[in-house]
Each structure stands twice: as C-alpha cells, then as structure tokens.
Amino acid sequence: MASVDATDAIPTSVNEASEGWGSPFWWIVGGLTLAFAYMTFFDPPKIHSPEPAKTRKSVQNLRLTRQQLRAYNDSDKSLPILLAVRGVIFDVSPGSRFYGQGGGYALFAGRDATRSLAIASFDAKDLENPSISDLELEPVMALQDWFQSYVSKYERVGILVDENDQPITYPTKFDSPENKKDSANPEEKKEAHEEKKEEVHEEKKEEVHEEKKEEVHEKKKEVHEEKKEEVSEEKKEEVHEEKKEEVHEEKKEVHEEKKEEVHE
C-alpha cells in the first residue's frame, strides 16, 4: 500500500477546495452553523416562568403559647413561618430563604428568639429559656434594635401568651417599680401608654378646670373688692357732703345770730 503524506490531504487550489466543500460533511457543518446563527441572532429567548409560589395560610390576631408557636417552623408548607421577639409574633414568610428549612436563621423559625437575638446566640438553650432578666444594658439595647428591625420588615400577626392566656412579659434588671409595665411585651406597652395618656389627659383637664375655677374666684374677689371700694368712696363722699352741709348750716346759723346781735 502506498503511503500518503499528510500534506496530500490539504487542498492546494481553489478548485480542490471547492470539491472538498461539496462533500456531505461540509454540508452538515454549514447547516449547524446557520442554525446556531439563527438561534443566536433571530430566535427570541424563551422566558421560563418561575414555579408558582406555594400559598401559605394568612393569619392575624394570634394568641399562641411557645409550644403552639413551634408548629410554624416551615415543616408544614401551608402554614406561615413565624417567630416571636419580646412577645410579639412576626410573619417572616417573605424571608423564607433565611428562616425556612436550610436557611441561616431556620433555628429561630417557630421559636421565641428574644434572648437569642439579644446575645447573638444560636445555642438551643437560649431558645428554650428566652428570659432576659439577667442581661446587661448592651444586649437589652441590641434586642430593642432587633425588635425595631422586625417591625419595619415583617407583619405583626399576634402575641405570645402563657398557659393562662396572659401575655408573656420580659422584665429586665433595669426596670423600676414605676415603669414595670414597660417590661411587658410591646402590645401591653402600647396599651399601658394609652392608659397613661388618658390619665394625663384627665389630670390636665382637672388642672385646667381648677385653674379656671381659681381665675373665676379671683375675678369675683377682685370685682367684689372694686365694688366695695366704690361703695366706700361713695359713702365717704356722702359723709363728706353731709359734714360740709352741717358746717355750712352752722356757719349760717352763727352768721344769723351775729347779725341779730349787731341789729340789737
């Protein structure tokens, strides 16, 4: 068999090259190239619709114990993802990529995260015992920042209650006897604020009433004194006129007597 040099397979003229391009192989390559060009420049890209989001149940005005809250931890996809901070329950379903299963904050889903957020803890024991009564001022202030953040981002859907259906409170070592209600959850705090506002309003109303009463009394007293003064002046003037009249009569009488003596 005669050997074939590799250079013999390379066309040496336009004619040879043309003959080579007429082979089925080049027709296939050309067709694929045209098809690719069409899909790239002429065929509009197809828009793939995302999968429809799973519909979660809408909830409002919940009163849940901590145990009941645990059902809302994304294990049931029909329920919203909830967590609690200082007794207020938030629907964090819009942040499911963080609080849903596999998310970075999934540990907090269905739990009272009050203490955990205050001390930046992912320890399960801080979820089991969310008391903040032993915390210093810095974590208590940090908790307040976290609470405001949840208020601004997520919907409030209820409050945590104890087994007797009473709102759970979160006292701290910084609470004074005068502001004990401030240690309660924000819903109770709001109620206490309204009560205090009403008390202040009533006190102010009473104070204004007393001031008005005092003003009226002073005005009456002043009018009375002025009247008394006027009466006194009138009396004084009257007495003066009477005295003047008496003096005049006496003088007249004396004058008449003197005149009569002179006549005699």
Side-chain angles (χ1 to χ4, degrees), residues 166-227:
Q166 295 301 307
I168 294 177
T169 61
Y170 297 78
T172 72
K173 63 172 65 177
F174 305 101
D175 296 328
S176 62
E178 291 77 16
N179 64 359
K180 270 296 181 184
K181 283 190 175 182
D182 288 343
S183 66
N185 65 58
E187 293 295 329
E188 277 198 322
K189 189 174 180 181
K190 181 179 178 181
E191 185 178 336
H193 175 72
E194 291 300 324
E195 289 177 359
K196 187 68 178 177
K197 186 177 177 181
E198 187 67 23
E199 288 175 8
V200 170
H201 176 72
E202 289 299 323
E203 288 175 2
K204 190 69 178 176
K205 189 176 177 181
E206 184 68 24
E207 184 180 334
V208 170
H209 176 72
E210 289 299 322
E211 288 178 356
K212 193 70 178 176
K213 188 177 176 181
E214 186 69 22
E215 286 177 8
V216 171
H217 177 72
E218 290 296 324
K219 190 68 177 176
K220 280 185 175 181
K221 186 177 178 182
E222 185 179 333
V223 170
H224 177 72
E225 290 297 325
E226 288 177 356
K227 191 70 177 176

Side-chain angles (χ1 to χ4, degrees), residues 87-243:
V88 176
I89 301 173
F90 293 94
D91 182 352
V92 295
S93 302
S96 58
R97 63 182 179 134
F98 302 110
Y99 298 98
Q101 292 181 346
Y105 294 98
L107 184 68
F108 299 154
R111 306 300 295 270
D112 182 350
T114 301
R115 182 181 181 87
S116 299
L117 292 172
I119 62 176
S121 169
F122 285 86
D123 196 323
K125 67 180 177 63
D126 293 313
L127 292 170
E128 295 297 334
N129 178 28
S131 169
I132 56 173
S133 60
D134 62 322
L135 299 185
E136 299 301 326
L137 184 59
E138 185 175 351
V140 171
M141 296 302 293
L143 175 61
Q144 184 61 22
D145 290 341
W146 272 108
F147 180 79
Q148 292 302 327
S149 177
Y150 278 97
V151 168
S152 65
K153 291 179 181 179
Y154 301 110
E155 182 182 5
R156 287 189 273 192
V157 295
I159 61 172
L160 280 182
V161 295
D162 59 22
E163 299 301 329
N164 298 316
D165 198 42
Q166 295 301 307
I168 294 177
T169 61
Y170 297 78
T172 72
K173 63 172 65 177
F174 305 101
D175 296 328
S176 62
E178 291 77 16
N179 64 359
K180 270 296 181 184
K181 283 190 175 182
D182 288 343
S183 66
N185 65 58
E187 293 295 329
E188 277 198 322
K189 189 174 180 181
K190 181 179 178 181
E191 185 178 336
H193 175 72
E194 291 300 324
E195 289 177 359
K196 187 68 178 177
K197 186 177 177 181
E198 187 67 23
E199 288 175 8
V200 170
H201 176 72
E202 289 299 323
E203 288 175 2
K204 190 69 178 176
K205 189 176 177 181
E206 184 68 24
E207 184 180 334
V208 170
H209 176 72
E210 289 299 322
E211 288 178 356
K212 193 70 178 176
K213 188 177 176 181
E214 186 69 22
E215 286 177 8
V216 171
H217 177 72
E218 290 296 324
K219 190 68 177 176
K220 280 185 175 181
K221 186 177 178 182
E222 185 179 333
V223 170
H224 177 72
E225 290 297 325
E226 288 177 356
K227 191 70 177 176
K228 187 177 177 182
E229 187 72 22
E230 287 175 7
V231 171
S232 177
E233 287 296 324
E234 288 175 0
K235 190 70 176 176
K236 189 175 178 181
E237 184 68 25
E238 185 180 333
V239 170
H240 176 71
E241 289 299 323
E242 288 177 357
K243 190 70 176 175

Side-chain angles (χ1 to χ4, degrees), residues 56 73-77 81 96-104 106 109:
R56 295 180 185 270
N73 64 354
D74 198 36
S75 57
D76 183 344
K77 302 299 181 182
I81 306 172
S96 58
R97 63 182 179 134
F98 302 110
Y99 298 98
Q101 292 181 346

